[in-house]
Amino acid sequence: MKICVLVKEVPDAAVEKRIDPSTGRMDRSGEKNLNPYDTHAIEAAMQLKEGGALQVDEIVAVTMGPESAVRALHKAVSLGADRSIHLTDAALAGSDVAATGYALAKALEKEQPDVVLLGQQSDDGECYTIGAVVAEHLKAPSLTQVIKLDVVDGGLRCERQAEYGYDTVQVSLPAVISVGDAINEPRYPSLKAIMGAKKKPLETASAADAGIDASLVGGDGSRVQCGEFKAPPAKAAGTIIEDEDTDATVEQIVAWLDERKLI
Amino acid sequence: MTTPSPATIDAEQLEEIRDGIRQLCARYDGTYWQQLEPETYPAEFVDALTEAGWLAALIPEQYGGSGLPLSAASVILEEIARSGGNPGACHAQMYVMGTLLRHGSEAQKERWLPEIAAGRLRLQAFGVTEPDAGSDTTRIRTTARRDGDGWVVDGQKIWTSRAEHSDLMVLLARTTPIGEVSKRGEGLSVFLVDMRDRGDELEIRPIKTMMNHSTTEVFINGLRLPGDALIGEAGKGFRHILDGMNAERCLIAAECIGDGRWFVERASRYAGEREVFGRPIGANQGIQFPIARAHMAIEAADLMRWKAIGLYEAGRPCGAEANMAKYLAAEASWMAANACVDTHGGLGFAAEYDVERKFRETRLYQVAPISNNMILAFVGQNVLKMPRSY
């Protein structure tokens, strides 16, 4: 059995997100890191492999991104992936979610994975949707926001976080599953794994290598066209109520909420 | 004895190591270190480091380690300090490794290194200092005398840190009386002591100190050692440990730099957040300048640290640079510690802010493992060739 984990290089969480006005795309310069949500997907794959209920022969990390994205793959491998695939091509730059999902699905087609895991969202775009797009192209079931995975009857019994509680869903394989950060606590890489990451196989694939129709990817192949971006309006200063007399303070808070019809 | 050549390492790999150790340290925050006070050993943290291979960084790959050079070890210890932790709990395994790698026999390495790398044995104790011989190491009174194929050791060590939490100890003892050697540095020998189940032969007494450092006195009463406990050549032990001391100086410098960066980050952040008289206190130059000054001192010390490590890794003499790096870094971290306490005002003394704990921890490096005054004397006398004071 093979598990592919989709990973992404994203700007470090400490870097303030901004849109580059010249390109209309997110400014991804500065410190970058492996998308933290993807580390949970890798850990989920490792736990399936180590759990023994499924015979997992291989975990493959797959990313699409510029040259620098190879670092995200090194991190994925240091966390346990056996090898990695870097889909990179100038023709892919500027792809929207649908185009990115299509391109990743094409890269995955060659691998024929039994399970595709990914973080439920990326720390930059936060679309939550790549998994579903990939699943659509692979004609595989899609599950999102999964926070528990168990092997049951040769398939996976998943708990997904719903708005009011949890859905329990049994899914047959192959399947595409995006996981939430509550699913596990990712291990940290060992020193040897960090030093050995570059020695594990890394395949670089162009759009043509993956059989991607260039007209369906990149800025031109994307259906989303970004228009004008504006920073959200600055928040107005709040009202500070000094708690000198608690009864009076409570009355003021209640009046404030009542005025806005919040209670 | 051949010197093992560790893997070369590039800047990107060092960044990956930095990133990796940060991830581990992030799970051991200030609360973790606070609850260990005043004298609980951070066993969970040290176990996590060991399990993930960080403390075996310098052990060659053939013995189960990562075979990395000193620069990698220095980054590991720096980041532990920078995260708010105390690398003093486990740094000796890095310090003493040079002595074992450079002067240990193949049989010794094969016997001990895989066990240490796998975390089954801890090598965290280094017995050199004695009550009557501190910086004047050649005056130690602990003796080892031949007894058949082996040795019998008698004496006393002090400030042997982590002896209670270590299975093995690198021990310096005199094997030829000082009156019978032409140079007082001769006649000393280094032993690798298996401290497990020694009964009355080894008596370890903890010493309470102002920081959580698990240091001890070790009383050695007729300790029997097998012949193969001797590291390197009998009588050449002082020279063997001196090799390792340059590495130790570089690593201490890195720890101080990590401490210093922690203080500067904490101080500058608090100075930007804390408002008094309607503006952040960091706008006051009385607050701002000491932090900026400490930052510059740390950056300068870091340059000397990398110069020393570069020379060490190139196999070139680095005694002056390693000592200067340790001095500059210890002074810089102390400057940063004071700036950090001053910036925090009363909160600098509150345990939950970690500042007072780190303040106590970094103070140690003014004095140990070598006093900064001894480094001034070394530079004055050995580098600048001025008259000797001792």
Side-chain angles (χ1 to χ4, degrees):
Chain A
M1 172 168 289
K2 184 192 290 186
I3 301 176
C4 283
V5 183
L6 297 177
V7 300
K8 186 179 185 187
E9 184 186 50
V10 296
D12 192 85
V15 176
E16 198 180 338
K17 297 183 186 86
R18 61 179 285 272
I19 301 291
D20 181 345
S22 65
T23 61
R25 295 179 201 157
M26 184 168 286
D27 178 1
R28 292 190 168 91
S29 60
E31 281 288 301
K32 297 186 191 67
N33 213 332
L34 171 63
N35 178 32
Y37 290 91
D38 297 341
T39 62
H40 295 276
I42 296 163
E43 180 62 29
M46 288 297 288
Q47 289 184 9
L48 285 174
K49 185 178 181 179
E50 291 166 354
L54 289 177
Q55 171 67 36
V56 178
D57 303 309
E58 194 178 33
I59 298 171
V60 185
V62 181
T63 198
M64 176 177 125
E67 197 179 334
S68 65
V70 78
R71 288 188 301 229
L73 291 176
H74 287 150
K75 287 199 173 164
V77 166
S78 73
L79 289 169
D82 298 295
R83 65 183 172 89
S84 58
I85 299 170
H86 183 197
L87 180 59
T88 186
D89 201 310
L92 297 167
S95 294
D96 65 7
V97 173
T100 302
Y102 159 71
L104 285 169
K106 292 302 285 182
L108 290 168
E109 269 177 18
K110 290 197 167 181
E111 290 292 325
Q112 295 286 310
D114 300 280
V115 182
V116 177
L117 292 171
L118 67 155
Q120 67 181 19
Q121 73 207 78
S122 64
D123 212 28
D124 53 355
E126 298 193 54
C127 294
Y128 289 73
T129 43
I130 282 287
V133 180
V134 168
E136 174 67 17
H137 284 287
L138 294 179
K139 306 294 178 214
S142 163
L143 275 176
T144 56
Q145 292 176 275
V146 167
I147 50 150
K148 194 163 185 288
L149 269 182
D150 290 306
V151 179
V152 177
D153 298 336
L156 292 171
R157 177 78 48 96
C158 305
E159 260 183 32
R160 61 181 300 275
Q161 201 154 23
E163 199 169 351
Y164 301 102
Y166 303 97
D167 297 333
T168 302
V169 183
Q170 173 78 16
V171 65
S172 58
L173 305 180
V176 180
I177 298 168
S178 75
V179 301
D181 55 2
I183 191 168
N184 53 42
E185 181 163 6
R187 67 197 67 192
Y188 32 72
S190 72
L191 177 57
K192 275 192 178 178
I194 292 171
M195 298 312 296
K198 287 180 183 166
K199 294 175 190 159
K200 289 198 182 175
L202 187 156
E203 179 193 338
T204 304
S206 67
D209 293 336
I212 291 167
D213 179 345
S215 71
L216 299 177
V217 292
D220 293 341
S222 294
R223 284 183 248 180
V224 171
Q225 296 300 324
C226 296
E228 194 183 353
F229 290 96
K230 285 181 186 160
K235 281 187 183 168
T239 307
I240 295 173
I241 301 169
E242 296 284 347
D243 183 21
E244 284 164 3
D245 171 351
T246 303
D247 289 343
T249 304
V250 170
E251 269 181 36
Q252 281 185 67
I253 293 170
V254 169
W256 190 91
L257 292 168
D258 192 37
E259 205 174 291
R260 286 157 182 79
K261 305 210 181 306
L262 294 170
I263 51 173
Chain B
M1 203 68 59
T2 55
T3 300
S5 57
T8 54
I9 193 160
D10 59 33
E12 191 180 323
Q13 285 172 311
L14 278 180
E15 278 311 303
E16 286 166 1
I17 287 172
R18 208 178 271 285
D19 192 49
I21 186 71
R22 273 183 192 165
Q23 284 179 47
L24 188 150
C25 291
R27 298 194 186 179
Y28 297 89
D29 60 7
T31 313
Y32 171 78
W33 293 99
Q34 285 161 27
Q35 51 90 26
L36 297 169
E37 293 278 309
E39 56 190 8
T40 306
Y41 187 70
E44 188 189 331
F45 175 71
V46 175
D47 286 347
L49 281 177
T50 305
E51 196 177 311
W54 295 101
L55 295 184
L58 296 175
I59 297 177
E61 284 185 282
Q62 71 206 80
Y63 305 114
S66 290
L68 293 175
L70 191 66
S71 48
S74 82
V75 163
I76 293 166
L77 296 179
E78 177 192 341
E79 287 299 329
I80 294 171
R82 188 179 184 169
S83 76
N86 181 7
C90 54
H91 54 195
Q93 190 156 311
M94 306 279 204
Y95 295 173
V96 300
M97 199 49 71
T99 300
L100 188 51
L101 290 181
R102 288 179 187 226
H103 304 289
S105 68
E106 196 51 45
Q108 285 170 327
K109 292 179 198 175
E110 277 178 13
R111 179 174 175 194
W112 300 112
L113 293 180
E115 295 294 296
I116 297 168
R120 289 187 287 272
L121 289 180
R122 283 181 181 166
L123 171 53
Q124 290 290 3
F126 192 23
V128 177
T129 305
E130 298 185 1
D132 297 319
S135 300
D136 192 359
T137 308
T138 59
R139 295 275 170 194
I140 60 169
R141 293 183 183 174
T142 296
T143 58
R145 60 183 164 79
R146 277 282 184 193
D147 181 45
D149 292 339
W151 302 84
V152 177
V153 188
D154 285 284
Q156 183 187 348
K157 296 290 175 183
I158 194 167
W159 309 123
T160 307
S161 298
R162 303 159 299 274
E164 292 174 293
H165 306 282
S166 187
D167 303 301
L168 304 172
M169 169 171 63
V170 171
L171 176 75
L172 187 71
R174 184 157 281 289
T175 44
T176 307
I178 197 160
E180 296 174 22
V181 291
S182 54
K183 289 182 186 167
R184 58 187 184 171
E186 291 174 358
L188 297 165
S189 301
V190 189
F191 298 91
L192 184 63
V193 178
D194 186 345
M195 296 197 290
R196 293 170 296 171
D197 304 322
R198 285 306 193 153
D200 294 340
E201 291 181 4
L202 271 183
E203 189 187 336
I204 301 171
R205 289 187 200 162
I207 304 172
K208 289 193 181 203
T209 54
M210 76 172 188
M211 67 287 172
N212 184 2
H213 201 73
S214 307
T215 200
T216 70
E217 285 180 284
V218 179
F219 296 86
I220 306 167
N221 313 309
L223 173 70
R224 294 191 172 277
L225 298 178
D228 63 4
L230 178 72
I231 299 176
E233 215 176 314
K236 303 282 186 199
F238 189 55
R239 192 172 291 273
H240 294 344
I241 62 163
L242 278 184
D243 273 358
M245 282 183 175
N246 286 334
E248 180 193 70
R249 308 285 190 259
C250 294
L251 293 171
I252 283 286
E255 289 182 30
C256 290
I257 287 160
D259 275 346
R261 292 199 164 125
W262 185 90
F263 285 120
V264 165
E265 281 161 12
R266 282 294 174 105
S268 52
R269 189 168 74 214
Y270 185 74
E273 288 169 357
R274 168 75 172 155
E275 289 195 11
V276 177
F277 302 118
R279 60 178 185 172
I281 58 171
N284 301 311
Q285 293 175 341
I287 296 288
Q288 190 182 90
F289 284 8
I291 302 171
R293 195 176 290 126
H295 173 71
M296 288 190 278
I298 292 157
E299 290 299 305
D302 197 34
L303 293 176
M304 184 58 80
R305 166 256 190 122
W306 285 112
K307 181 177 181 184
I309 289 176
L311 290 168
Y312 182 92
E313 290 183 355
R316 293 169 57 191
C318 65
E321 289 78 6
N323 276 293
M324 290 192 289
K326 187 271 168 183
Y327 176 95
L328 293 170
E331 293 292 320
S333 76
W334 183 234
M335 192 189 288
N338 279 295
C340 193
V341 169
D342 288 341
T343 302
H344 281 77
L347 295 178
F349 300 88
E352 68 171 291
Y353 275 70
D354 296 307
V355 176
E356 59 83 33
R357 175 178 58 82
K358 293 285 283 182
F359 181 90
R360 288 182 277 120
E361 287 169 2
T362 213
R363 182 63 179 82
L364 173 68
Y365 297 131
Q366 299 273 303
V367 174
I370 178 176
S371 159
N372 270 4
N373 279 340
M374 291 303 291
I375 295 180
L376 290 171
F378 172 82
V379 171
Q381 296 167 23
N382 295 55
V383 179
L384 302 176
K385 310 296 181 196
M386 289 190 279
R388 295 185 70 88
S389 60
Y390 61 92

